[in-house]
Amino acid sequence: MNATLVAVVLSLFSAVAYAAAAVAQERLASRGATTGVRRMLASGAWWGSVGLNAGAALLHVVALKYGPLTVVQPLGALTLVAAVPLGARVAGRRVSTVEWRGTALTLAGLAAVLVAASGPAPDDVLSVPEALAVAGATAALIGLLSRPGTKPGLRHASASGIASGVASALTQTVTVAATDRSGSPISAQVIVVALLVAAFAAIGLLLSQTAYRGGLGAPLAVVTLSNPVAAAVIGLSLLGEGLRGGLAGVLLALAGAGVAARGVVLLTRVTPVAVTPVDEEHPVAAVLALEPAHAPTEPSLMPRRPGIPAPGHLTPL
């Protein structure tokens, strides 16, 4: 099977898992279940979302082995395709026309970027000094975007996308270097970069959790946009990747970025809908609960057949 096709298929499955995780995180954030670190770590539902993110990340890592950053990263936009309708279904409402338009424009723009950005399987890696320089610059930018006192929202979403995009770029260095048969699979380069990957992946997850307090559509769209942009900057400037078609390819990529940005603007106009609490002690129910928000969840509110007493009601002897 063609290496690029393998990368595309793996990216599809990864996007679906990321979408489910994003919806779960947004539900938890809207209920205030992640306002404290201790409370968050004690939440089974939060750990369920972490598991979904971990599975998606694993698929993403394998995809990066077969496809370049400029191909794999834009495919993360498919997360929006799944997350927007899934989030609406969980909230017990229909996807609005504005959401469909915003999602369509975002995907169309990223598709244009994907057409311009393609290439062979990766074979170049970042050196340790390059990886440390990228990590330092990224940490400074993330600190600026998520500085204390900043209201949770699109700044945190941008920081999350940048952290995740850089983690992906560093992950590609780890996978390529570790599977290089000409050298040792475990080297100082692999260890150092792997630690940076773990750090930025965790930072991206926590920042996205904060961003989703303001809703799902707009923050997820910003994460989806900033992620491939951050990865593409590294791929184009340090890993020798390029755009197809010369100047025409650059213009197509810029036009696609503009269309995608318009989609993000539309998604920011969607007012988030409050959701009802879900049993936080049941991770599966809390993470993937698809019941509409207005559906009765208490036994006393469920419809009963005539002659059957309500739960807790004792019939006379």
mmCIF file of all heavy atoms in Angstrom, residues 280-304:
data_model
loop_
_atom_site.group_PDB
_atom_site.id
_atom_site.type_symbol
_atom_site.label_atom_id
_atom_site.label_comp_id
_atom_site.label_asym_id
_atom_site.label_seq_id
_atom_site.Cartn_x
_atom_site.Cartn_y
_atom_site.Cartn_z
ATOM 1 N N GLU A 280 -20.315 11.353 36.705
ATOM 2 C CA GLU A 280 -18.880 11.511 36.516
ATOM 3 C C GLU A 280 -18.116 10.272 36.930
ATOM 4 O O GLU A 280 -16.946 10.124 36.639
ATOM 5 C CB GLU A 280 -18.412 12.726 37.334
ATOM 6 C CG GLU A 280 -17.054 13.245 36.921
ATOM 7 C CD GLU A 280 -16.757 14.584 37.550
ATOM 8 O OE1 GLU A 280 -17.626 15.445 37.542
ATOM 9 O OE2 GLU A 280 -15.640 14.743 38.066
ATOM 10 N N GLU A 281 -18.784 9.380 37.671
ATOM 11 C CA GLU A 281 -18.076 8.190 38.115
ATOM 12 C C GLU A 281 -18.119 7.088 37.067
ATOM 13 O O GLU A 281 -17.539 6.036 37.265
ATOM 14 C CB GLU A 281 -18.712 7.676 39.428
ATOM 15 C CG GLU A 281 -18.595 8.679 40.569
ATOM 16 C CD GLU A 281 -17.138 9.052 40.841
ATOM 17 O OE1 GLU A 281 -16.289 8.155 40.790
ATOM 18 O OE2 GLU A 281 -16.861 10.224 41.102
ATOM 19 N N HIS A 282 -18.809 7.295 35.982
ATOM 20 C CA HIS A 282 -18.893 6.286 34.927
ATOM 21 C C HIS A 282 -18.233 6.874 33.678
ATOM 22 O O HIS A 282 -18.868 7.575 32.906
ATOM 23 C CB HIS A 282 -20.356 5.939 34.651
ATOM 24 C CG HIS A 282 -20.496 4.648 33.881
ATOM 25 N ND1 HIS A 282 -19.807 4.392 32.718
ATOM 26 C CD2 HIS A 282 -21.239 3.545 34.130
ATOM 27 C CE1 HIS A 282 -20.134 3.206 32.260
ATOM 28 N NE2 HIS A 282 -20.999 2.674 33.095
ATOM 29 N N PRO A 283 -16.942 6.595 33.458
ATOM 30 C CA PRO A 283 -16.209 7.235 32.363
ATOM 31 C C PRO A 283 -16.845 7.043 30.998
ATOM 32 O O PRO A 283 -16.921 7.973 30.213
ATOM 33 C CB PRO A 283 -14.834 6.558 32.433
ATOM 34 C CG PRO A 283 -14.726 6.061 33.838
ATOM 35 C CD PRO A 283 -16.110 5.695 34.244
ATOM 36 N N VAL A 284 -17.319 5.830 30.703
ATOM 37 C CA VAL A 284 -17.871 5.582 29.370
ATOM 38 C C VAL A 284 -19.129 6.415 29.152
ATOM 39 O O VAL A 284 -19.311 7.047 28.118
ATOM 40 C CB VAL A 284 -18.176 4.080 29.190
ATOM 41 C CG1 VAL A 284 -18.845 3.835 27.853
ATOM 42 C CG2 VAL A 284 -16.890 3.272 29.301
ATOM 43 N N ALA A 285 -20.002 6.434 30.167
ATOM 44 C CA ALA A 285 -21.232 7.209 30.034
ATOM 45 C C ALA A 285 -20.937 8.694 29.925
ATOM 46 O O ALA A 285 -21.568 9.419 29.167
ATOM 47 C CB ALA A 285 -22.149 6.943 31.230
ATOM 48 N N ALA A 286 -19.965 9.164 30.695
ATOM 49 C CA ALA A 286 -19.664 10.594 30.698
ATOM 50 C C ALA A 286 -18.954 11.042 29.436
ATOM 51 O O ALA A 286 -19.156 12.154 28.963
ATOM 52 C CB ALA A 286 -18.806 10.931 31.919
ATOM 53 N N VAL A 287 -18.111 10.191 28.894
ATOM 54 C CA VAL A 287 -17.336 10.575 27.717
ATOM 55 C C VAL A 287 -18.143 10.460 26.444
ATOM 56 O O VAL A 287 -18.104 11.331 25.578
ATOM 57 C CB VAL A 287 -16.052 9.713 27.609
ATOM 58 C CG1 VAL A 287 -15.333 9.992 26.302
ATOM 59 C CG2 VAL A 287 -15.124 9.998 28.778
ATOM 60 N N LEU A 288 -18.895 9.403 26.309
ATOM 61 C CA LEU A 288 -19.580 9.154 25.052
ATOM 62 C C LEU A 288 -21.101 9.162 25.195
ATOM 63 O O LEU A 288 -21.799 8.552 24.384
ATOM 64 C CB LEU A 288 -19.124 7.805 24.467
ATOM 65 C CG LEU A 288 -17.642 7.740 24.101
ATOM 66 C CD1 LEU A 288 -17.289 6.347 23.603
ATOM 67 C CD2 LEU A 288 -17.296 8.763 23.038
ATOM 68 N N ALA A 289 -21.624 9.833 26.226
ATOM 69 C CA ALA A 289 -23.076 9.911 26.401
ATOM 70 C C ALA A 289 -23.693 10.686 25.256
ATOM 71 O O ALA A 289 -23.348 11.825 25.029
ATOM 72 C CB ALA A 289 -23.412 10.595 27.726
ATOM 73 N N LEU A 290 -24.584 10.044 24.531
ATOM 74 C CA LEU A 290 -25.190 10.683 23.365
ATOM 75 C C LEU A 290 -26.638 11.056 23.603
ATOM 76 O O LEU A 290 -27.339 11.453 22.684
ATOM 77 C CB LEU A 290 -25.091 9.744 22.155
ATOM 78 C CG LEU A 290 -23.669 9.413 21.724
ATOM 79 C CD1 LEU A 290 -23.705 8.526 20.490
ATOM 80 C CD2 LEU A 290 -22.879 10.672 21.419
ATOM 81 N N GLU A 291 -27.111 10.922 24.860
ATOM 82 C CA GLU A 291 -28.496 11.292 25.131
ATOM 83 C C GLU A 291 -28.633 12.803 25.028
ATOM 84 O O GLU A 291 -27.766 13.537 25.474
ATOM 85 C CB GLU A 291 -28.915 10.851 26.540
ATOM 86 C CG GLU A 291 -28.948 9.335 26.708
ATOM 87 C CD GLU A 291 -27.577 8.786 27.045
ATOM 88 O OE1 GLU A 291 -26.624 9.586 27.093
ATOM 89 O OE2 GLU A 291 -27.468 7.579 27.254
ATOM 90 N N PRO A 292 -29.727 13.313 24.451
ATOM 91 C CA PRO A 292 -29.943 14.760 24.433
ATOM 92 C C PRO A 292 -29.966 15.309 25.850
ATOM 93 O O PRO A 292 -30.322 14.619 26.794
ATOM 94 C CB PRO A 292 -31.318 14.915 23.765
ATOM 95 C CG PRO A 292 -31.493 13.650 22.967
ATOM 96 C CD PRO A 292 -30.799 12.582 23.754
ATOM 97 N N ALA A 293 -29.576 16.594 25.958
ATOM 98 C CA ALA A 293 -29.466 17.199 27.281
ATOM 99 C C ALA A 293 -30.805 17.237 28.005
ATOM 100 O O ALA A 293 -30.861 17.271 29.220
ATOM 101 C CB ALA A 293 -28.902 18.617 27.152
ATOM 102 N N HIS A 294 -31.925 17.251 27.245
ATOM 103 C CA HIS A 294 -33.217 17.365 27.896
ATOM 104 C C HIS A 294 -33.796 16.010 28.263
ATOM 105 O O HIS A 294 -34.875 15.929 28.841
ATOM 106 C CB HIS A 294 -34.201 18.095 26.980
ATOM 107 C CG HIS A 294 -34.338 17.441 25.633
ATOM 108 N ND1 HIS A 294 -33.558 17.805 24.555
ATOM 109 C CD2 HIS A 294 -35.136 16.426 25.202
ATOM 110 C CE1 HIS A 294 -33.895 17.053 23.497
ATOM 111 N NE2 HIS A 294 -34.831 16.226 23.878
ATOM 112 N N ALA A 295 -33.126 14.925 27.917
ATOM 113 C CA ALA A 295 -33.658 13.596 28.197
ATOM 114 C C ALA A 295 -33.640 13.332 29.695
ATOM 115 O O ALA A 295 -32.675 13.671 30.368
ATOM 116 C CB ALA A 295 -32.841 12.521 27.468
ATOM 117 N N PRO A 296 -34.656 12.720 30.271
ATOM 118 C CA PRO A 296 -34.671 12.446 31.711
ATOM 119 C C PRO A 296 -33.617 11.423 32.064
ATOM 120 O O PRO A 296 -33.436 10.435 31.366
ATOM 121 C CB PRO A 296 -36.090 11.904 31.950
ATOM 122 C CG PRO A 296 -36.526 11.358 30.630
ATOM 123 C CD PRO A 296 -35.887 12.249 29.608
ATOM 124 N N THR A 297 -32.896 11.675 33.146
ATOM 125 C CA THR A 297 -31.851 10.757 33.578
ATOM 126 C C THR A 297 -32.158 10.167 34.949
ATOM 127 O O THR A 297 -31.560 9.177 35.340
ATOM 128 C CB THR A 297 -30.490 11.471 33.648
ATOM 129 O OG1 THR A 297 -30.616 12.618 34.498
ATOM 130 C CG2 THR A 297 -30.049 11.929 32.268
ATOM 131 N N GLU A 298 -33.048 10.803 35.722
ATOM 132 C CA GLU A 298 -33.400 10.274 37.028
ATOM 133 C C GLU A 298 -34.487 9.214 36.869
ATOM 134 O O GLU A 298 -35.416 9.378 36.077
ATOM 135 C CB GLU A 298 -33.901 11.399 37.941
ATOM 136 C CG GLU A 298 -32.824 12.419 38.273
ATOM 137 C CD GLU A 298 -31.713 11.792 39.084
ATOM 138 O OE1 GLU A 298 -32.010 10.854 39.862
ATOM 139 O OE2 GLU A 298 -30.560 12.218 38.950
ATOM 140 N N PRO A 299 -34.430 8.138 37.662
ATOM 141 C CA PRO A 299 -35.465 7.088 37.558
ATOM 142 C C PRO A 299 -36.865 7.631 37.783
ATOM 143 O O PRO A 299 -37.824 7.183 37.160
ATOM 144 C CB PRO A 299 -35.060 6.094 38.655
ATOM 145 C CG PRO A 299 -33.578 6.310 38.831
ATOM 146 C CD PRO A 299 -33.376 7.781 38.604
ATOM 147 N N SER A 300 -36.997 8.647 38.684
ATOM 148 C CA SER A 300 -38.326 9.161 38.991
ATOM 149 C C SER A 300 -38.935 9.930 37.838
ATOM 150 O O SER A 300 -40.132 10.197 37.830
ATOM 151 C CB SER A 300 -38.245 10.071 40.221
ATOM 152 O OG SER A 300 -37.365 11.153 39.957
ATOM 153 N N LEU A 301 -38.096 10.328 36.841
ATOM 154 C CA LEU A 301 -38.594 11.094 35.718
ATOM 155 C C LEU A 301 -38.870 10.232 34.497
ATOM 156 O O LEU A 301 -39.382 10.721 33.501
ATOM 157 C CB LEU A 301 -37.582 12.191 35.338
ATOM 158 C CG LEU A 301 -37.273 13.215 36.429
ATOM 159 C CD1 LEU A 301 -36.240 14.207 35.908
ATOM 160 C CD2 LEU A 301 -38.534 13.954 36.859
ATOM 161 N N MET A 302 -38.489 8.980 34.553
ATOM 162 C CA MET A 302 -38.667 8.098 33.411
ATOM 163 C C MET A 302 -40.128 7.645 33.336
ATOM 164 O O MET A 302 -40.791 7.452 34.366
ATOM 165 C CB MET A 302 -37.762 6.867 33.543
ATOM 166 C CG MET A 302 -36.278 7.204 33.555
ATOM 167 S SD MET A 302 -35.741 7.934 32.007
ATOM 168 C CE MET A 302 -35.838 6.491 30.953
ATOM 169 N N PRO A 303 -40.662 7.473 32.123
ATOM 170 C CA PRO A 303 -42.063 7.024 31.998
ATOM 171 C C PRO A 303 -42.240 5.612 32.536
ATOM 172 O O PRO A 303 -41.357 4.773 32.402
ATOM 173 C CB PRO A 303 -42.301 7.085 30.486
ATOM 174 C CG PRO A 303 -40.952 6.999 29.877
ATOM 175 C CD PRO A 303 -40.028 7.696 30.828
ATOM 176 N N ARG A 304 -43.383 5.375 33.164
ATOM 177 C CA ARG A 304 -43.648 4.055 33.752
ATOM 178 C C ARG A 304 -44.945 3.485 33.187
ATOM 179 O O ARG A 304 -45.859 4.229 32.816
ATOM 180 C CB ARG A 304 -43.772 4.167 35.281
ATOM 181 C CG ARG A 304 -42.504 4.663 35.943
ATOM 182 C CD ARG A 304 -42.649 4.606 37.487
ATOM 183 N NE ARG A 304 -43.761 5.392 37.964
ATOM 184 C CZ ARG A 304 -43.680 6.690 38.222
ATOM 185 N NH1 ARG A 304 -42.551 7.334 38.016
ATOM 186 N NH2 ARG A 304 -44.733 7.367 38.659
#
